[in-house]
Amino acid sequence: MDLVLLCPPHCGPWLEKELAALSLPVTGRSGRMIRVETDLEGVYRCCLHSRVASRVLLPLHQGPADDDAAFVSTVDQVDWAAQLPPDGSLGMDFRGTGGWLRHSRFGQQRLKDVIVDQLRAKGLESPRLTPDRPDVQIYAHFDGERLSLYRDLGGGPLHQRGYRRRSVSAPIKENLAAAVLMAAGWPEQGNLVDPFCGSGTLVIEAAMMAAGIPAGVHRSHWGFAGWPQHDPDHWQRLLSEARHKLRQLSSLPGVLRGYDKDPDAIAAACANAQAAGLGDWLVFSHREMTVLEAPPNCQSGLVIGNPPYGERLEDRKALPSLYTRLGERLRGPFQRWHAAMLMPEPDLDRYTGLDRRRSHRFRNGAIDCHLVQLWSPPAREGRDLENRLQKNLRHLRRWARREETDAFRAYDADIPEFALAVDCYGAHALVQEYAAPKQIPADKARRRLAAGLTAVSHALDIPGENIHLRTRRPQKGREQYNRLDQRELELTVQEGPARLIVNLSDYNDSGLFLDHRPVRAWLREKARGKRFLNLFAYTGTASVHAALGGARNTTSVDLNRNYLRWAERNLAINGFKGDAHRLVRADCVEWLNRQTGRWDLILLDPPTFSNSSDTDTTLDIQRDHPALIQAALDRLVPDGLLVFSCNRRDFRLQLDDSQGLKIQDMTKASIPEDFKRNPRIHHCWFISKTKG
């Protein structure tokens, strides 16, 4: 007989692979439909063993249905009395619309009416209609012109395995999970970890595949039960063999683990695993991804998952940080493992810092997805970068010890192929990826980034999870202040006598501008007994150095409350609290114009451009710096010093000595050793008033 098997979108190749393993020859294919020619044994094998199929259908008739009369004629070609047992119940699943038939529910109603009319014309009773576990399940497909009618021998969707006792929102269907696992190469990898396990579907399906447990072993209802060709004894023998295999299971070939940050999801996964008869062999644990570790004594395997898709806008904005965290774990404890993630946008993989080995299309519900397989390229692909880093570090580490700092830049796009900045923070590294030129293909940029991160890990001799990736993009408006994550991956680093807090996970910058190290040292040297004003104070690192230099008091002004709290903590860990160290939340321009006090030493280090929801003003440093500098000078005592710094590369200072000022260009002297290759990283001037 001919059978038609349906599968989820884009799963045809995996269903065909499965049918080949079941010795069922494929005779045709069309989209989600795969045709096979088989016998009764093959019908049972399809129903019991297919992991990917959605339906197993026996064709009844196909014909024109471009209007209601043609529809009725096609339906009447089937002898419905031969399909229905006496007093049997009937279920119908009607799919498709088009032309005169605009609603599938209306199509289902018309199908029922025609069947009932035919049976009554033969003097038979109308069948009982039930959507739940009917004796005969009819599947109808309408394409706008033709109607195809089938008997559903599976008795409904085959993804309903029978073991799902509890669920979570938007669970992946079991047959899609099986296809995803096949596409990822399972079960050849042996061990498996799902860091986003939800109700456990991927892990349970993987365990059944690895142990050879038939997919339908737990189903209690089949559509062939009332089928005239059904052989109950033959079926019971096959089913008993499958259940015996499950009962005799003593272990799994590998270690399989599921983790999720939601305790309710873990409870659901445990209940489902128990119902699947696998509760003794699978482990599900409540765990945040940031502390994810490989199972003990498992050197390799498959990390596979269905991470959140971010269907709401606010959740979608969090996806880059989610994949960044995932990449850290994959480059760290799972660096020898294969990895595959089902993601709504294939380009999300770039945030992991891993290369894309291959990608397969799927559809999860209504969402088009890609299963992206990730890997760390061999070290040799980043050998040039590794060699350059090692060369830089031989010099810079000696220099850093003399400077008494463990925070410095080790590499800044020295090699054109690796457009990265690598900053060392103790035993961690922050790698910032500069946007690749448009002429560089995206896949090449991904490979270079992945190879670069591997090289950084080798050269610095630190694990992959200690390498934190940021992608530098031009920031617009308030974006420069946006918090990217909530991990609070904080370290305390040393800079001369100062201890400073850096955050390597949550913001575009770490909280410490390494290139301003000499400027902070100058402020410390000049601060003794002085009143120090820090404008656009950011995290207050300059205020810390001024306080360590013996400043009489410090005033730090910034509009961002998060950075001011950070500044307060920086001052506190260095022993500075109280009224002598003021923290002012205000727009610096407006605040300056309201002040009447004077300061001996002022740092003015504004952003290149800034606006805020808390103020109507915008700041363009090239346009506004003369007025801004003058406002700061108005608050400077006659013999005081204003240190003005700016990071705009093409900045031009529009002040000169004729304006009663002494201006000293300190830019060259302010560039530290670790930024010598980038002398335009910032500009710096000492500005004071001339006497008289």
Side-chain angles (χ1 to χ4, degrees):
M1 67 190 77
D2 289 327
L3 289 183
V4 170
L5 280 74
L6 300 187
C7 64
H10 313 298
C11 291
W14 314 112
L15 177 55
E16 288 195 43
K17 180 178 180 181
E18 181 177 65
L19 293 172
L22 293 172
S23 301
L24 294 168
V26 172
T27 59
R29 60 185 63 80
S30 176
R32 297 169 55 195
M33 292 186 171
I34 306 293
R35 293 184 176 273
V36 298
E37 185 177 354
T38 187
D39 54 12
L40 184 62
E41 170 82 12
V43 171
Y44 292 152
R45 277 188 287 152
C46 283
C47 290
L48 184 60
H49 290 276
S50 178
R51 304 182 192 280
V52 180
S54 302
R55 308 258 184 174
V56 175
L57 306 175
L58 178 69
L60 298 176
H61 187 67
Q62 183 184 86
D66 50 351
D67 59 23
D68 186 68
F71 181 95
V72 171
S73 177
T74 293
V75 177
D76 262 339
Q77 296 302 309
V78 179
D79 182 359
W80 294 105
Q83 295 297 325
L84 281 160
D87 300 322
S89 59
L90 178 66
M92 287 178 289
D93 193 341
F94 192 98
R95 301 296 176 96
T97 58
W100 65 279
L101 205 164
R102 299 191 176 184
H103 299 284
S104 59
R105 186 172 296 177
F106 174 67
Q108 182 169 305
Q109 182 66 39
R110 285 299 288 138
L111 176 61
K112 183 206 79 168
D113 291 344
V114 177
I115 294 173
V116 168
D117 288 347
Q118 187 194 93
L119 293 172
R120 284 178 175 173
K122 295 179 179 181
L124 301 173
E125 292 291 326
S126 299
R128 289 181 293 110
L129 298 175
T130 175
D132 239 3
R133 302 166 70 97
D135 295 315
V136 177
Q137 178 79 39
I138 301 301
Y139 183 89
H141 180 261
F142 176 64
D143 66 4
E145 295 183 353
R146 297 183 68 79
L147 178 68
S148 301
L149 298 166
Y150 306 90
R151 181 167 185 152
D152 188 340
L153 298 180
L158 293 183
H159 77 268
Q160 296 172 354
R161 308 282 203 234
Y163 62 72
R164 190 185 291 275
R165 295 293 185 268
R166 294 179 58 181
S167 190
V168 294
S169 60
I172 186 172
K173 289 183 178 179
E174 290 83 343
N175 59 338
L176 176 59
V180 164
L181 286 160
M182 291 173 69
W186 182 259
E188 285 79 4
Q189 296 94 339
N191 303 307
L192 181 141
V193 168
D194 181 355
F196 310 97
C197 71
S199 55
T201 306
L202 275 167
V203 180
I204 294 170
E205 288 293 317
M208 293 178 72
M209 291 171 69
I213 299 169
V217 70
H218 297 290
R219 280 176 67 98
S220 58
H221 174 72
W222 295 96
F224 51 68
W227 181 38
Q229 297 186 53
H230 176 46
D231 182 342
D233 292 337
H234 189 175
W235 168 247
Q236 282 301 321
R237 283 196 300 273
L238 294 175
L239 188 59
S240 295
E241 289 172 6
R243 290 175 174 170
H244 178 74
K245 185 163 190 173
L246 178 60
R247 287 193 298 269
Q248 294 300 309
L249 183 66
S250 60
S251 66
L252 292 175
V255 175
L256 287 82
R257 300 284 187 268
Y259 303 110
D260 203 285
K261 67 177 183 179
D262 181 2
D264 291 337
I266 294 302
C270 291
N272 294 337
Q274 199 66 39
L278 298 166
D280 293 338
W281 319 117
L282 302 180
V283 175
F284 294 97
S285 301
H286 173 220
R287 186 171 298 183
E288 293 285 345
M289 189 177 59
T290 52
V291 294
L292 197 64
E293 298 288 344
N297 303 316
C298 294
Q299 302 301 315
S300 63
L302 174 65
V303 181
I304 190 167
N306 182 29
Y309 292 173
E311 294 179 63
R312 296 181 301 176
L313 180 60
E314 59 270 28
D315 296 333
R316 186 168 289 270
K317 290 179 179 178
L319 291 183
S321 64
L322 172 72
Y323 280 90
T324 298
R325 298 196 303 269
L326 175 62
E328 290 173 6
R329 306 315 294 172
L330 294 178
R331 296 194 308 271
F334 293 96
Q335 60 182 322
R336 296 182 182 177
W337 288 52
H338 298 272
M341 294 291 145
L342 195 62
M343 56 186 73
E345 301 171 15
D347 285 347
L348 283 169
D349 68 313
R350 65 186 306 279
Y351 294 102
T352 66
L354 296 167
D355 195 10
R356 183 191 303 173
R357 184 183 293 274
R358 59 180 63 90
S359 176
H360 302 281
R361 289 182 66 195
F362 289 100
R363 183 180 295 163
N364 189 0
I367 301 174
D368 287 320
C369 301
H370 298 261
L371 181 75
V372 179
Q373 293 177 261
L374 304 166
W375 70 303
S376 295
R380 63 177 179 275
E381 296 193 24
R383 186 63 54 82
D384 289 346
L385 174 59
E386 184 177 345
N387 291 340
R388 179 60 62 91
L389 266 167
Q390 290 173 339
K391 178 182 176 182
N392 291 354
L393 289 167
R394 281 194 292 270
H395 164 64
L396 289 172
R397 279 176 170 156
R398 291 194 298 268
W399 164 83
R401 284 194 293 271
R402 292 195 300 270
E403 292 289 313
E404 298 181 316
T405 183
D406 55 359
F408 59 90
R409 177 153 294 183
Y411 173 90
D412 196 356
D414 302 13
I415 303 172
E417 290 78 13
F418 293 98
L420 308 171
V422 180
D423 295 331
C424 296
Y425 293 93
H428 291 251
L430 181 62
V431 177
Q432 301 171 75
E433 179 199 14
Y434 298 115
K438 292 183 179 179
Q439 63 269 26
I440 301 295
D443 58 342
K444 181 178 286 189
R446 276 194 302 269
R447 284 197 302 273
R448 286 178 177 174
L449 174 60
L453 293 175
T454 301
V456 170
S457 177
H458 286 202
L460 271 60
D461 194 23
I462 58 177
E465 65 264 37
N466 286 11
I467 300 172
H468 312 286
L469 176 64
R470 286 285 174 270
T471 299
R472 304 298 296 182
R473 291 286 186 273
Q475 301 296 313
K476 298 179 180 179
R478 296 185 298 275
E479 289 180 1
Q480 58 191 313
Y481 302 116
N482 285 351
R483 188 161 188 157
L484 306 176
D485 211 332
Q486 301 290 333
R487 294 166 59 194
E488 297 185 352
L489 177 55
E490 292 186 344
L491 307 170
T492 300
V493 297
Q494 194 75 27
E495 187 177 87
R499 297 172 65 230
L500 303 171
I501 299 167
V502 295
N503 184 310
L504 304 186
S505 61
D506 298 346
Y507 299 90
N508 277 308
D509 295 298
S510 69
L512 178 63
F513 293 129
L514 299 177
D515 59 304
H516 286 270
R517 192 185 305 105
V519 176
R520 291 188 288 270
W522 291 336
L523 293 170
R524 186 177 70 246
E525 293 167 2
K526 296 176 180 297
R528 181 163 298 281
K530 305 288 180 62
R531 294 162 295 182
F532 174 64
L533 173 61
N534 188 1
L535 297 167
F536 304 94
Y538 190 39
T539 59
T541 55
S543 300
V544 170
H545 277 275
L548 288 167
R552 186 191 313 175
N553 56 56
T554 67
T555 302
S556 305
V557 186
D558 201 284
L559 188 58
N560 188 291
R561 59 169 57 89
N562 289 329
Y563 291 148
L564 283 177
R565 285 195 286 264
W566 198 335
E568 182 178 28
R569 294 170 61 215
N570 270 331
L571 285 162
I573 66 169
N574 287 278
F576 302 109
K577 296 181 180 180
D579 295 340
H581 301 285
R582 292 178 61 211
L583 297 161
V584 180
R585 182 173 180 261
D587 176 270
C588 287
V589 177
E590 295 176 355
W591 183 84
L592 266 178
N593 291 330
R594 296 195 306 267
Q595 297 309 302
T596 58
R598 297 292 182 95
W599 284 267
D600 307 288
L601 182 62
I602 299 176
L603 172 64
L604 177 58
D605 184 17
T608 296
F609 180 86
S610 177
N611 63 9
S612 171
S613 59
D614 296 327
T615 178
D616 295 330
T617 62
T618 62
L619 174 68
D620 181 325
I621 193 57
Q622 185 61 66
R623 179 193 68 196
D624 300 330
H625 76 271
L628 183 58
I629 289 174
Q630 186 57 57
L633 288 170
D634 289 344
R635 307 273 58 83
L636 192 68
V637 298
D639 59 347
L641 175 65
L642 170 66
V643 179
F644 173 67
S645 181
C646 170
N647 286 76
R648 178 166 172 161
R649 288 177 176 265
D650 60 351
F651 180 79
R652 295 291 182 270
L653 186 67
Q654 295 174 352
L655 297 174
D656 57 51
D657 293 347
S658 66
Q659 297 170 273
L661 302 174
K662 180 181 178 182
I663 302 173
Q664 185 178 3
D665 189 345
M666 299 297 293
T667 300
K668 185 175 181 180
S670 70
I671 305 297
E673 183 68 23
D674 47 336
F675 284 84
K676 290 296 186 185
R677 290 194 73 259
N678 190 7
R680 298 176 62 193
I681 188 71
H682 67 240
H683 305 272
C684 183
W685 288 269
F686 285 179
I687 304 174
S688 57
K689 304 172 185 177
T690 57
K691 293 184 179 180

